[in-house]
């Protein structure tokens, strides 16, 4: 869990203003969305659930102001 937070914080740190981050994951997109909002990203959008190789997956996109 802590390693994921560190990785997200580093993504946000190196992202240029106006830049976007996209994450595709099987289990944790909701957690990533909350953490990215906490880190100050805006326009955080979660996709609906889709199936990839019979696994429910989602993606999220967020923007650095």
């Amino acid at each position: 869990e802590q390693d994921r937070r560190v990785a997200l914080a580093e993504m946000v740190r190196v992202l240029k203003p106006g830049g976007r981050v996209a994450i595709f994951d099987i289990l944790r997109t909701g957690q990533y969305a909350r953490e990215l909002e906490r880190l100050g990203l805006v326009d955080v959008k979660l996709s609906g659930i889709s199936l990839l190789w019979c696994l429910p997956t989602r993606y999220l996109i967020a923007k650095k102001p």
Side-chain angles (χ1 to χ4, degrees):
E1 182 79 21
Q2 181 61 26
D3 291 341
R4 285 186 192 87
R5 286 189 177 134
V6 170
L8 290 172
E10 184 65 8
M11 285 183 213
V12 172
R13 185 187 74 78
V14 301
L15 194 63
K16 292 180 182 178
R20 295 184 184 272
V21 62
I23 300 174
F24 183 81
D25 192 78
I26 295 171
L27 298 174
R28 295 182 175 88
T29 49
Q31 293 171 355
Y32 294 149
R34 288 186 294 278
E35 184 65 15
L36 290 173
E37 286 175 336
R38 189 188 72 76
L39 291 168
L41 269 59
V42 296
D43 297 334
V44 178
K45 296 182 177 125
L46 282 168
S47 73
I49 295 175
S50 61
L51 294 177
L52 177 68
W53 300 296
C54 298
L55 296 171
T57 58
R58 294 173 83 177
Y59 66 87
L60 72 86
I61 299 171
K63 180 180 174 184
K64 187 171 186 178

